[in-house]
Amino acid sequence: MPSTRITIASNANQSHKAPLLLPANLTNDPQFPHSSRAWIVKAAQSKLRLKNPSRFFVAGTGQELLLASDWQQHLTNDVVILASAGEDYVGATKSKAPLDSSAVSPTASTDRDRKEDEPDRQAPTCSISILAHLAPVDPLSLKQVETTATTLPGLIHAVAQPDLHPGTKFPIGAVFVSRRWIHPPLIGSDIGCGMAWYRTTLGRNQIEGDKGRRIAERLRGLEGPWRTQRERRIWLSMDISEGEAGDVLQGDFSAGETWDEALGTIGAGNHFAELQIVEESHATPGMPEDSVVLLVHSGSRGYGGDILRRYTSDGTVSLPQDSPQAIRYLEEHDRACSWARLNRDLIALRFLECLEPGTADWHLGASSSSSNLDTAPPSSETLLAARTLISERKIVDLWHNNVSRTLWPPLDPSLNLPSTPHSQETCYIHRKGAAPTHDPHTHHPLSLLPLPGSRGTPTIILRPTFSAATGWGLRNGLSLAHGAGRAMSRAKAAGVMERKYKGRAEELLQPVRIRRECGKQEREGLEMEQVLERRRRRDVGGSWVVCEDRRLVWEEAPEAYKDVYEVLGDLVREGVAEGVGWCRPVVSYKMREERRGR
């Protein structure tokens, strides 16, 4: 197949253009590094001198290229592609044909050639709930929600959480409920990513002030593979039994040595582990005021991305629930979620080995490069006992990137009505950057969950609320915001913060006060008085930050995120959650330039 000949031009200055040949071996799926989009990004940076091209339009029509099907349809010879640094399309637009739900993938079938056992691709009416009012929302992310809701098959309800922000193709901070269809890209590559809170035995007087800096200095040996593959596999097993050839692993969640090497590591991006003081707590079990807790945010590392690639590399976006591909995907998805949960537990073990060094139970947290590593390998019973002890320290653990099966629509639990095919049916809740309101194992409502802001602002202790006014959780898709959400893209934050903190980058690694004025909407919202009072008290200083990647420091600066109290205010206003306390960050760990896993 020959190369495709196109022209790229600046959206803001369309006389600034350049020819470009696209190699035939590029994929049209923009989420992959070897894609047409990635090729055009590099060309726009080098040929057009655009620093951070992030949006692309077809000249003359204004069609924005978001989905794989968009790139497949419009990347033809002699097309002119306009590269934008985030601004909307410049120019007159031509009317577009109605959205075609068969365009969800290059292999989408029509009703005439659809297999008899495949559910209808015609999208049902999909309701959309927008929960953002105080929190600012990028128009592109709202467009991504609307486009997804009206093009993918089987979607019946979509939710834009207050922390909504744009993704490459699909929004982050969004929830999509589907009937009879699974959509892997709506979950993304970090399957099972989530957060867990763990109790520590530290007191606030041991970590406040300059003691926090000394704690941060002790956090070493946390990068790179943990121990041996044998020990990693035991950690990833449900149980151990004895066999003639040695230990037999039961319920083994190992992803293979390639991916297991990253077990027990945080990763990059917005992942972190943070030592926090519980400053305020109202009826929150396991989190008394003045206690010190560890919040871990991580996922399945490279394993989840490998799963997504294998199921979507041909451009597939949607899978019928009974298809062999959907069944296999869900099996691997569930495996990755279990891997991610056990990864968070191992991260906690490694941190507690640094934070509570006198506790004998945590010596297994030492990495294979540590000098105090056991001379003899630990037994499987010892490893599983350590994992049990970590579980006993755990306050809550949740996934915010996953698909869960649930009976829909939600019913009033006080009525204790039996579910029937006429009242409820099994549907799939797709979450990417959205926290569940229910425990995934017991299906009971969670009593608390974290709503982190940034390293310069508190983490709110949330409690989900349910009422007839919200359809017992229908309006918010049985989900809540998973954090403050990005106010700037990574590329924009890197540029803005590098200029703002030029010559004083150390300010972002030390406790500093981050101030923002209340917006007009908030000042006029009398019903938000209690929320705003808590917001005013958030000016408690930042944390000591461990991050040896300078660009990541810029990308993760507190100003790159929305105000967590605006996000909380929206959840309270919608009647889907209440704030029952808050934690102050003291030490935030991102990464060190030690030997790192994938």
Side-chain angles (χ1 to χ4, degrees):
M1 184 177 178
S3 300
T4 303
R5 182 183 65 252
I6 70 170
T7 297
I8 58 172
S10 167
N11 180 55
N13 179 11
Q14 295 178 17
S15 64
H16 190 194
K17 55 189 176 181
L20 181 66
L21 283 178
L22 298 177
N25 62 345
L26 296 178
T27 177
N28 285 313
D29 193 332
Q31 68 184 318
F32 294 108
H34 196 60
S35 65
S36 300
R37 184 187 188 279
W39 192 271
I40 293 173
V41 166
K42 292 181 180 178
Q45 290 171 332
S46 61
K47 295 175 179 289
L48 305 179
R49 295 292 187 265
L50 289 180
K51 190 171 183 181
N52 298 308
S54 58
R55 300 175 68 183
F56 299 91
F57 305 93
V58 178
T61 69
Q63 170 67 48
E64 185 165 6
L65 305 181
L66 297 171
L67 305 176
S69 54
D70 296 334
W71 292 89
Q72 175 84 9
Q73 178 182 354
H74 295 287
L75 279 188
T76 57
N77 280 324
D78 300 321
V79 70
V80 178
I81 301 298
L82 303 179
S84 157
E87 75 276 2
D88 291 336
Y89 172 72
V90 176
T93 60
K94 296 179 181 178
S95 59
K96 294 180 284 187
L99 290 168
D100 180 5
S101 63
S102 68
V104 292
S105 81
T107 57
S109 58
T110 63
D111 288 340
R112 185 172 59 188
D113 60 12
R114 177 171 56 86
K115 296 179 181 178
E116 292 184 2
D117 60 345
E118 182 180 287
D120 194 342
R121 282 184 177 270
Q122 181 61 43
T125 300
C126 181
S127 55
I128 300 177
S129 297
I130 307 227
L131 307 187
H133 305 283
L134 299 174
V137 174
D138 189 314
L140 174 60
S141 60
L142 291 174
K143 181 176 181 180
Q144 289 180 337
V145 171
E146 181 182 3
T147 300
T148 302
T150 55
T151 57
L152 296 194
L155 293 184
I156 58 175
H157 187 55
V159 183
Q161 295 285 344
D163 59 337
L164 184 76
H165 55 283
T168 303
K169 290 192 306 181
F170 301 103
I172 302 166
V175 183
F176 296 95
V177 183
S178 71
R179 180 189 295 131
R180 302 179 67 190
W181 285 87
I182 311 295
H183 309 285
L186 295 189
I187 302 152
S189 59
D190 198 4
I191 300 170
C193 184
M195 299 187 193
W197 254 324
Y198 302 85
R199 289 183 292 273
T200 77
T201 59
L202 300 173
R204 68 182 301 150
N205 63 335
Q206 294 176 273
I207 68 171
E208 285 195 304
D210 197 56
K211 294 176 183 177
R213 180 186 57 79
R214 293 196 289 270
I215 288 279
E217 184 59 29
R218 283 184 5 213
L219 296 177
R220 296 186 178 275
L222 300 169
E223 307 288 352
W226 175 75
R227 294 184 169 263
T228 67
Q229 178 62 5
R230 166 193 169 270
E231 291 155 313
R232 292 191 289 267
R233 286 198 64 192
I234 292 173
W235 187 270
L236 288 166
S237 64
M238 292 299 293
D239 201 0
I240 305 289
S241 62
E242 293 185 1
E244 294 182 0
D247 291 341
V248 178
L249 305 182
Q250 307 292 329
D252 180 12
F253 296 120
S254 169
E257 188 166 6
T258 298
W259 305 119
D260 288 354
E261 280 194 351
L263 187 72
T265 60
I266 293 173
N270 63 345
H271 297 142
F272 63 87
E274 189 167 84
L275 206 58
Q276 305 175 331
I277 296 174
V278 182
E279 295 287 1
E280 185 178 337
S281 179
H282 302 286
T284 49
M287 298 189 73
E289 291 182 5
D290 296 325
S291 62
V292 177
V293 294
L294 176 68
L295 179 62
V296 175
H297 175 203
S298 190
S300 56
R301 307 291 273 106
Y303 179 33
D306 178 62
I307 294 173
L308 181 66
R309 275 190 298 273
R310 286 189 278 110
Y311 285 89
T312 63
S313 59
D314 61 352
T316 297
V317 173
S318 308
L319 303 171
Q321 67 174 3
D322 295 325
S323 67
Q325 296 94 329
I327 293 170
R328 288 195 301 270
Y329 172 78
L330 287 176
E331 289 174 351
E332 293 203 57
H333 163 279
D334 292 350
R335 189 181 189 88
C337 285
S338 295
W339 194 104
R341 175 176 52 81
L342 293 167
N343 180 46
R344 289 189 285 275
D345 286 350
L346 185 52
I347 290 170
L349 176 69
R350 298 181 79 173
F351 270 77
L352 288 175
E353 196 271 335
C354 297
L355 297 170
E356 302 176 9
T359 308
D361 297 326
W362 308 141
H363 74 283
L364 291 175
S367 66
S368 56
S369 60
S370 297
S371 58
N372 61 342
L373 190 63
D374 313 274
T375 55
S379 66
S380 56
E381 290 80 7
T382 301
L383 287 163
L384 293 182
R387 200 180 72 188
T388 299
L389 289 171
I390 283 292
S391 296
E392 292 172 355
R393 291 285 191 99
K394 188 163 17 184
I395 301 166
V396 67
D397 190 317
L398 53 87
W399 297 302
H400 54 230
N401 282 13
N402 75 325
V403 56
S404 63
R405 309 159 187 80
T406 191
L407 291 175
W408 191 266
L411 300 177
D412 180 354
S414 66
L415 299 179
N416 199 25
L417 295 174
S419 176
T420 69
H422 301 291
S423 62
Q424 289 181 302
E425 61 181 321
T426 299
C427 289
Y428 301 91
I429 301 181
H430 301 72
R431 299 182 178 96
K432 186 174 185 181
T437 57
H438 288 67
D439 184 289
H441 305 294
T442 66
H443 303 292
H444 295 152
L446 292 167
S447 59
L448 61 88
L449 58 155
L451 180 70
S454 70
R455 70 92 178 169
T457 53
T459 290
I460 307 298
I461 306 174
L462 274 186
R463 176 180 293 155
T465 56
F466 306 88
S467 68
T470 65
W472 306 107
L474 184 150
R475 176 162 174 74
N476 54 311
L478 294 175
S479 307
L480 298 172
H482 80 310
R486 295 198 69 88
M488 300 182 196
S489 68
R490 291 192 171 276
K492 181 177 180 180
V496 170
M497 299 306 151
E498 184 176 10
R499 292 190 296 272
K500 179 176 180 179
Y501 290 96
K502 186 175 182 180
R504 45 193 190 95
E506 293 302 312
E507 289 185 18
L508 289 174
L509 302 178
Q510 300 174 6
V512 292
R513 295 183 182 276
I514 307 299
R515 295 179 181 272
R516 292 180 189 152
E517 294 300 321
C518 293
K520 179 180 178 182
Q521 272 187 299
E522 293 175 85
R523 292 196 296 269
E524 295 178 350
L526 297 179
E527 76 280 3
M528 298 303 300
E529 284 182 356
Q530 183 180 8
V531 172
L532 294 179
E533 174 59 28
R534 291 181 179 177
R535 182 181 182 226
R536 283 189 285 271
R537 283 186 284 153
R538 87 197 185 294
D539 186 15
V540 293
S543 60
W544 296 98
V545 179
V546 178
C547 184
E548 296 180 353
D549 180 331
R550 184 54 56 87
R551 182 177 176 87
L552 191 56
V553 172
W554 306 137
E555 292 176 352
E556 291 293 301
E559 297 96 315
Y561 283 85
K562 302 180 188 182
D563 189 318
V564 70
Y565 276 90
E566 291 181 339
V567 173
L568 170 63
D570 284 337
L571 296 175
V572 172
R573 173 176 175 165
E574 288 288 338
V576 298
E578 58 181 342
V580 293
W582 59 279
C583 301
R584 174 163 60 92
V586 178
V587 178
S588 302
Y589 184 98
K590 300 292 290 185
M591 58 83 67
R592 288 193 188 277
E593 290 293 349
E594 300 172 339
R595 186 185 173 195
R596 312 194 74 207
R598 290 177 180 270

